[in-house]
Amino acid sequence: MEDNFNIQEYLENGVENILRSAVKTSLKSPKESLFLLKFSKYAKNATKMRKQYNQKGINIPVFLIASITSSCNLHCIGCYSRANNACNDNTPLNQLTDDEWEDIFREAKDIGISFIVLAGGEPLIRKDVIIKATDFPEILFPIFTNGTMLNNEYFKLFDDNRNLVPIISIEGNEQITDKRRGKGVYSKLVESMEFMRKNNIFFGVSITFTKINLTSLISNDFINKLHDYGCKVIFFIEYVPLSADTINIAPGDEERNILSKEINHLRQKYSDMLFLSFPGDEKTSGGCLAAGRGFFHINSHGDAEACPASPYSDINVKETSIIEALNSRLFKSLQDEGILIDEHIGGCVLFEHKDEVEKILDKN
């Protein structure tokens, strides 16, 4: 992968390239064409807004990750949300309402945030919030879903609102996917991808890679299969060990280097797709992008957190603005004390410096 990789520039240019390709290859895609024209304008305006804030000494990240629910219908092996108790089977309490999320989306638009990842739990449980997102075409909403709740109503919603982009979690082939996510999940995902391909619905996939499955995930057969299904975005998410029992399957430097080289090759080979890796792309973007450097997280209760994998907060957006949250003591301490760009074994720096993050929070 190239040095000094600019993830913001890659995303903005990549989205335009994908949609432009879709327009050229299909005479039946006026919705993509119209969305391309509008989003291109919106993205440029958002970039100008962020630059204006930056001149005032305020850094506005291009990304916001919004966990809109703590509920999920699956029990995937190794789920960090369940391990952090950010997701459970209890009746959700004190969740942000759809109107409160609407306020957050509006404020994000007004300060130049271009991408809001909708996560959970399982975000498709909160259709009320997703419907609110349709009112903000200036923002692209990747929706990270396990895919089991996709149905005709959702497909119509995605078709009518091109700023909503389903990102389906898949682990590889049927055996690997069903082993982690449950029997029958893979066939449901394939059925949904086929439907979206036939109906020109923009979608992507999210893949958790480990020391064990990386080779199969970057194989020509697997990538070509996703491309043939019509997938436009692939997120490679590094597995973060949740206990000593799973450290042995967490990727090491060898696996990270293999993925880095392969992603660089894939970006050149498939101009009509986006390839992103986390935290791999952060390494070449000047360190961890959490705590507002490139993104931050709002959980289902409204707490502003540095990252979904680091569930610590000292401020809630129900009581303050996004800009104030971005300047919270915790975020500023993480940035000023150098933890985000600190040397570490590899992978998630905040996970590896968990004790230090807790000390900062206690001190604040």
Side-chain angles (χ1 to χ4, degrees):
M1 189 183 301
E2 314 101 292
D3 293 332
N4 301 319
F5 174 69
N6 188 321
I7 189 171
Q8 175 180 319
E9 183 178 322
Y10 176 66
L11 280 169
E12 292 174 349
N13 292 339
V15 169
E16 290 191 18
N17 288 339
I18 289 170
L19 294 172
R20 188 176 292 112
S21 175
V23 172
K24 287 181 179 179
T25 57
S26 175
L27 297 176
K28 299 180 181 179
S29 55
K31 292 179 181 177
E32 284 91 346
S33 180
L34 181 60
F35 177 72
L36 167 63
L37 293 173
K38 288 185 176 180
F39 186 76
S40 176
K41 178 181 178 182
Y42 295 145
K44 290 176 182 177
N45 288 338
T47 299
K48 288 180 181 178
M49 279 190 275
R50 291 194 299 273
K51 287 181 178 179
Q52 290 171 352
Y53 276 107
N54 190 260
Q55 291 172 354
K56 300 175 184 177
I58 302 171
N59 178 60
I60 303 296
V62 68
F63 264 112
L64 163 60
I65 302 175
S67 289
I68 60 178
T69 180
S70 62
S71 297
C72 186
N73 61 323
L74 295 185
H75 290 76
C76 301
I77 297 172
C79 175
Y80 75 86
S81 290
R82 287 191 181 275
N84 291 332
N85 202 34
C87 175
N88 54 62
D89 294 327
N90 299 325
T91 301
L93 298 174
N94 302 318
Q95 306 275 284
L96 293 179
T97 67
D98 57 341
D99 288 336
E100 287 172 325
W101 279 115
E102 181 181 25
D103 291 339
I104 291 170
F105 298 159
R106 183 177 295 107
E107 185 179 357
K109 178 199 73 172
D110 290 343
I111 62 177
I113 292 176
S114 296
F115 301 88
I116 298 183
V117 173
L118 299 184
E122 170 49 50
L124 296 190
I125 289 175
R126 291 296 304 271
K127 189 174 182 181
D128 57 335
V129 178
I130 293 174
I131 288 175
K132 292 289 188 181
T134 65
D135 292 331
F136 299 91
E138 304 88 351
I139 297 173
L140 198 67
F141 290 88
I143 304 172
F144 278 64
T145 172
N146 61 42
T148 60
M149 297 183 69
L150 289 170
N151 55 31
N152 288 335
E153 288 185 10
Y154 267 122
F155 290 140
K156 186 178 187 310
L157 193 66
F158 299 149
D159 189 30
D160 292 340
N161 301 277
R162 294 290 163 147
N163 67 321
L164 305 181
V165 181
I167 306 294
I168 302 171
S169 296
I170 192 168
E171 307 300 327
N173 61 28
E174 182 173 12
Q175 181 182 2
I176 297 173
T177 298
D178 285 3
K179 182 178 180 180
R180 185 184 185 203
R181 298 188 172 271
K183 188 175 181 179
V185 170
Y186 180 84
S187 61
K188 167 66 176 172
L189 301 185
V190 169
E191 180 184 336
S192 294
M193 288 190 289
E194 284 282 13
F195 182 90
M196 289 187 285
R197 178 185 64 81
K198 292 176 181 177
N199 291 274
N200 296 311
I201 296 175
F202 192 104
F203 77 92
V205 299
S206 171
I207 306 169
T208 301
F209 72 93
T210 68
K211 186 174 290 187
I212 298 172
N213 69 359
L214 178 60
T215 302
S216 63
L217 296 178
I218 59 176
S219 68
N220 287 330
D221 287 345
F222 184 65
I223 300 298
N224 284 335
K225 183 178 290 187
L226 290 176
H227 183 266
D228 290 344
Y229 282 137
C231 175
K232 295 300 182 183
V233 187
I234 297 181
F235 288 85
F236 289 95
I237 310 295
E238 180 173 326
Y239 174 74
V240 177
L242 301 171
S243 67
D245 298 336
T246 57
I247 289 178
N248 63 317
I249 68 170
D253 285 340
E254 181 179 355
E255 288 75 29
R256 295 185 191 102
N257 290 335
I258 291 173
L259 180 61
S260 176
K261 292 177 182 178
E262 185 58 27
I263 280 187
N264 191 33
H265 169 70
L266 292 172
R267 285 171 176 161
Q268 296 175 22
K269 181 178 180 181
Y270 298 93
S271 61
D272 59 341
M273 296 178 74
L274 276 170
F275 296 90
L276 299 159
S277 78
F278 291 96
D281 284 335
E282 294 179 309
K283 183 177 180 181
T284 49
S285 295
C288 178
L289 298 175
R293 291 188 72 233
F295 71 88
F296 72 110
H297 178 234
I298 297 177
N299 69 20
S300 60
H301 308 291
D303 296 323
E305 300 172 343
C307 173
S310 185
Y312 304 101
S313 177
D314 62 352
I315 198 166
N316 191 291
V317 294
K318 288 194 293 187
E319 303 160 354
T320 188
S321 69
I322 289 179
I323 289 180
E324 288 172 316
L326 288 169
N327 286 278
S328 72
R329 292 180 182 178
L330 176 61
F331 282 18
K332 285 299 182 183
S333 295
L334 289 172
Q335 294 173 19
D336 295 343
E337 296 186 20
I339 288 181
L340 299 175
I341 57 174
D342 200 5
E343 290 292 328
H344 59 297
I345 297 174
C348 179
V349 64
L350 289 177
F351 179 82
E352 291 185 20
H353 288 274
K354 178 181 177 182
D355 292 341
E356 293 175 53
V357 176
E358 291 179 347
K359 287 180 181 177
I360 289 174
L361 190 65
D362 290 340
K363 182 173 65 176
N364 286 341

